[in-house]
C-alpha cells in the first residue's frame, strides 16, 4: 500500500507555496481527496496583502455569464456587472475555481480564454470592452479528479500541478495528539473510509467537550448512525493495539 511519508508531504506543500509565489506560474491545479485542504490552501497559501481572492465552485449548471459578467438593471440604467473571472483578471487577483471538472462546455470555453498566458489572454465582454489579465492574476483550480480528467485544452494551460496526499503541516499541528493518531491510522488502514479534515476537526471539537460526549457519542454525532458505530469500533481497536 502506498504511504506518504511526512517528508514527502512537507515537500509537496513547501513546493506548492514556492510555486504560488512565482508570477510566471499563472495556473495551478490541485487534486486530492475530499477534505484534504485543497480549497483552504488555495485561499490562504502564499497570499500577498492587497491581492483580492475570488472563489467559485462550479456545477454542471453554472452559467458562464455569471462568471464572465452580465448586464443588469441599476435603477433605470442598464449596468454591466463584472463576474469573478473578469474581475479577477482586471484587478490582478487570485481566482480559485473549485470542482473544475464540473465545468459545463460554455464555462470550459470561457476558461480557455481566461487561462491563456498573459501575452495572449483577451476577453471581450458583452459591453464591448476587451480586458487582459493584469499583473498578479493567478488561477488555482481544485478538484477531486486527476488533471487527466479535464479537457486537454485546459490541461495544456496548467503551469504546475500537485497531488495533495496528506494535510498541510499547519492543519496537523491543530490536532490534539489523539486526533492526529486517529487521522494517521485512518490513512494507513485500508477498509475503513478515510477521515477528511472536516471529520477530524468535528470529532476533535466533540471530544474536547468530554463532559458531554464520550468517544461513542462523538462518533455517533459526527459520523451518523451507520458510519458512527463502525468508526467508534475502529478507533477503539486502534487505541487498544497501541
Ligand atoms: N491548513 C489548514 N489549517 C487549518 N485547517 C485546515 C487547513 N486545511 C484545511 N483545513 C480544514 O479542513 C477543512 C476542509 O478543507 P478544504 O475545504 O480545503 O478541503 P478540500 O480538499 O477543498 O475538500 P473538497 O474536495 O471537499 O472541496 C476546512 O474547512 C478547514 O476547516
Ligand atoms: Mg474544496
Amino acid at each position: 500500500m502506498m504511504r506518504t511519508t511526512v517528508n514527502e508531504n512537507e515537500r509537496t506543500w513547501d513546493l506548492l507555496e514556492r510555486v504560488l509565489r512565482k508570477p510566471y506560474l499563472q495556473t495551478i491545479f490541485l487534486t486530492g481527496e475530499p477534505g484534504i485542504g485543497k480549497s483552504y490552501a488555495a485561499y490562504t497559501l502564499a497570499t500577498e496583502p492587497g491581492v483580492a481572492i475570488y472563489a467559485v465552485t462550479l456545477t454542471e449548471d453554472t452559467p458562464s455569464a455569471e462568471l464572465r459578467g452580465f448586464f443588469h438593471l441599476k435603477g433605470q440604467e442598464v449596468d454591466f456587472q463584472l463576474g469573478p473571472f473578469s474581475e479577477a483578471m482586471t484587478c490582478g487577483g487570485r481566482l480559485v475555481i473549485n470542482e473544475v471538472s464540473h465545468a459545463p462546455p460554455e464555462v470550459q470555453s470561457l476558461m480557455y480564454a481566461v487561462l491563456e498566458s498573459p501575452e495572449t489572454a483577451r476577453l471581450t465582454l458583452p459591453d464591448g470592452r476587451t480586458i487582459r489579465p493584469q499583473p498578479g492574476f493567478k488561477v488555482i483550480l481544485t478538484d477531486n479528479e486527476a488533471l487527466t480528467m479535464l479537457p486537454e485544452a485546459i490541461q495544456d494551460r496548467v503551469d504546475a500541478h500537485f497531488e495533495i496526499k496528506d494535510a498541510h503541516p499547519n492543519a496537523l499541528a491543530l490536532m490534539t495528539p489523539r486526533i492526529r493518531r486517529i487521522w494517521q491510522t485512518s490513512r494507513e488502514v485500508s477498509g475503513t473510509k478515510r477521515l477528511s479534515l472536516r471529520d477530524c476537526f468535528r470529532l476533535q471539537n466533540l471530544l474536547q467537550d468530554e463532559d458531554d460526549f464520550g468517544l461513542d457519542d462523538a462518533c455517533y454525532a459526527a459520523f451518523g448512525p451507520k458510519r458512527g458505530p463502525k468508526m467508534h469500533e475502529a478507533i477503539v481497536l486502534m487505541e487498544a493495539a497501541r
Side-chain angles (χ1 to χ4, degrees):
M1 176 182 167
M2 286 284 286
R3 232 195 105 177
T4 318
T5 63
V6 170
N7 284 343
E8 189 189 333
N9 187 46
E10 284 183 357
R11 191 173 162 224
T12 304
W13 284 111
D14 174 67
L15 183 58
L16 169 60
E17 191 150 348
R18 282 184 286 138
V19 160
L20 285 172
R21 293 195 193 284
K22 298 297 173 195
Y24 53 86
L25 299 171
Q26 182 180 270
T27 303
I28 319 287
F29 177 78
L30 305 181
T31 183
E33 60 195 67
I36 197 76
K38 302 178 295 295
S39 303
Y40 190 95
Y43 303 149
T44 60
L45 280 190
T47 48
E48 304 279 346
V51 172
I53 310 231
Y54 298 85
V56 297
T57 298
L58 300 184
T59 74
E60 280 76 9
D61 303 320
T62 305
S64 63
E66 190 181 286
L67 305 169
R68 179 201 57 197
F70 47 87
F71 286 107
H72 72 128
L73 264 182
K74 194 175 176 186
Q76 303 284 21
E77 304 276 298
V78 177
D79 192 39
F80 190 76
Q81 165 79 49
L82 293 174
F85 282 19
S86 46
E87 186 129 7
M89 278 173 85
T90 49
C91 78
R94 179 185 288 195
L95 172 62
V96 181
I97 308 177
N98 293 307
E99 318 302 343
V100 64
S101 68
H102 297 187
E106 254 190 24
V107 173
Q108 285 176 19
S109 310
L110 181 63
M111 282 185 359
Y112 297 156
V114 171
L115 302 186
E116 201 63 69
S117 61
E119 306 82 61
T120 40
R122 304 271 189 289
L123 191 62
T124 300
L125 301 174
D127 66 352
R129 246 182 310 170
T130 297
I131 59 168
R132 303 180 54 181
Q134 294 307 300
F137 178 60
K138 230 177 219 327
V139 185
I140 307 179
L141 310 171
T142 83
D143 212 284
N144 303 142
E145 301 284 358
L147 180 65
T148 49
M149 297 303 287
L150 299 183
E152 275 189 33
I154 291 184
Q155 290 183 44
D156 193 44
R157 285 161 169 77
V158 168
D159 298 315
H161 84 269
F162 292 86
E163 185 181 345
I164 307 297
K165 292 189 182 152
D166 203 342
H168 189 280
N170 290 350
L172 297 172
L174 289 174
M175 294 179 191
T176 61
R178 186 182 192 189
I179 291 291
R180 199 168 320 140
R181 280 195 300 273
I182 293 172
W183 167 258
Q184 272 153 4
T185 309
S186 100
R187 314 193 65 68
E188 287 160 13
V189 180
S190 50
T192 44
K193 185 169 169 275
R194 284 178 164 198
L195 293 183
S196 70
L197 279 178
R198 297 184 189 100
D199 285 333
C200 266
F201 289 122
R202 214 174 269 139
L203 189 62
Q204 176 158 311
N205 285 336
L206 286 157
L207 289 177
Q208 275 171 349
D209 210 349
E210 59 191 340
D211 291 343
D212 256 334
F213 307 106
L215 182 63
D216 53 346
D217 285 341
C219 287
Y220 197 94
F223 307 124
K226 272 184 101 157
R227 194 172 162 226
K230 283 189 201 149
M231 282 304 308
H232 177 236
E233 196 185 303
I235 293 170
V236 168
L237 282 174
M238 183 273 289
E239 293 186 330
R242 284 175 42 88

